[in-house]
Amino acid sequence: MKDQANTLRNLLGRKASVLQPVMGLAGRPDASLLAAAMVDEAVAEGSGGIVIDGGRDALVEAFNLKKRWELCHYLSGDVSAQSLLLSWGESRYLVPAARGINQVGVGQVINRSRFQKLLSGFADNGHEMYVTLSYEQAGMALSLCADAPQWLWLVEPNRTSVTECYKALTQIGPACGNMVHSVLVCRARSAAQADDVFAELEHVTRPYLSQPIEYAGQYRGPSCARSLRVRSRLEAII
């Protein structure tokens, strides 16, 4: 089973040690739920995963977990990694990080070292690792996930979401290289509306990225994680 999981990870084109960002509109739970669903799929394939959740308790509430500590407490040395980690099932781990994720930015050497130590055990075991952040934290995502081959973005059909996502992509665009930015449109009333939202975002961001953003379709809940993974595997094989 472990060999099978390694094969699948190779087909997906990911390194086990890469932290992968899932970006969404601040205050919405969608990015957190999608990241958790990606971990669920990893477990189904014989691996495991962890979500560093920059959202405010979306997964704690969704899975009815009891939270006592956040990432900031671990970084300050108040608690151990074991005390910090939550779980919603076997090989599924969660770090509440709304308080603390901004403390691992560039230049914060000690905190970044502690953060990497927290992730190292999961990376060594081949677990997939995701961090959920808001558009405004795109710079933070870039500093933590510069090696991630794919970023996931959730965009809504409203001016605030499209504008803030555009700002984030153009902010990090010059440093993105060949990163793939896959966009899912959530809360759309129809496929046509979702298509229009993506078309607008693709048009305005094209000048700032070395390759255009990719359309991953409508976000219809956690079940989209399976479609994303199957699509990635097919593209890798082709």
Side-chain angles (χ1 to χ4, degrees):
M1 183 64 73
K2 185 173 181 179
D3 290 341
Q4 181 184 22
N6 289 334
T7 299
L8 288 168
R9 279 193 293 274
N10 290 334
L11 288 175
L12 283 166
R14 298 195 191 103
K15 298 179 181 178
S17 59
V18 169
L19 184 62
Q20 302 173 74
V22 185
M23 311 296 293
L25 187 65
R28 295 292 202 187
D30 304 297
S32 301
L33 294 172
L34 178 57
M38 296 295 279
V39 168
D40 285 337
E41 291 299 318
V43 171
E45 293 172 359
S47 182
I50 183 172
V51 178
I52 311 298
D53 190 14
R56 292 203 173 275
D57 293 340
L59 296 183
V60 170
E61 295 175 1
F63 299 126
N64 195 28
L65 302 175
K66 293 182 179 180
K67 183 191 76 171
R68 186 175 181 184
W69 311 108
E70 293 208 21
L71 179 61
C72 62
H73 300 109
Y74 169 79
L75 296 175
S76 65
D78 294 335
V79 299
S80 66
Q82 185 176 4
S83 298
L84 172 67
L85 290 172
L86 301 177
S87 177
W88 69 94
E90 184 178 0
S91 298
R92 299 165 171 88
Y93 299 97
L94 166 66
V95 171
R99 297 169 59 196
I101 193 63
N102 288 325
Q103 297 175 21
V104 294
V106 174
Q108 302 191 55
V109 179
I110 295 177
N111 284 345
R112 284 178 75 92
S113 177
R114 289 174 176 164
F115 185 66
Q116 291 301 326
K117 183 178 180 180
L118 174 66
L119 297 180
S120 63
F122 294 96
D124 292 343
N125 289 324
H127 282 48
E128 295 186 10
M129 303 185 296
Y130 296 89
V131 59
T132 66
L133 296 166
S134 66
Y135 307 141
E136 292 84 356
Q137 295 170 306
M140 170 68 69
L142 187 62
S143 74
L144 294 174
C145 311
D147 294 330
Q150 182 185 50
W151 289 35
L152 297 175
W153 296 77
L154 290 127
V155 183
E156 299 183 22
N158 61 67
R159 185 52 46 195
T160 297
S161 181
V162 173
T163 300
E164 294 303 318
C165 185
Y166 159 78
K167 289 180 180 178
L169 283 164
T170 55
Q171 173 193 349
I172 64 174
C176 280
N178 292 321
M179 292 176 185
V180 175
H181 295 282
S182 296
V183 175
L184 296 98
V185 179
C186 49
R187 305 175 193 273
R189 294 190 300 272
S190 65
Q193 185 185 40
D195 292 347
D196 288 345
V197 169
F198 174 79
E200 178 184 357
L201 188 62
E202 192 278 330
H203 175 72
V204 295
T205 58
R206 181 182 284 268
Y208 303 95
L209 300 171
S210 60
Q211 56 182 339
I213 58 176
E214 293 189 352
Y215 190 25
Q218 283 184 267
Y219 176 71
R220 300 180 181 276
S223 61
C224 288
R226 181 168 300 177
S227 298
L228 283 170
R229 297 173 73 87
V230 169
R231 176 185 173 188
S232 296
R233 285 199 285 275
L234 289 174
E235 289 174 350
I237 293 170
I238 293 170

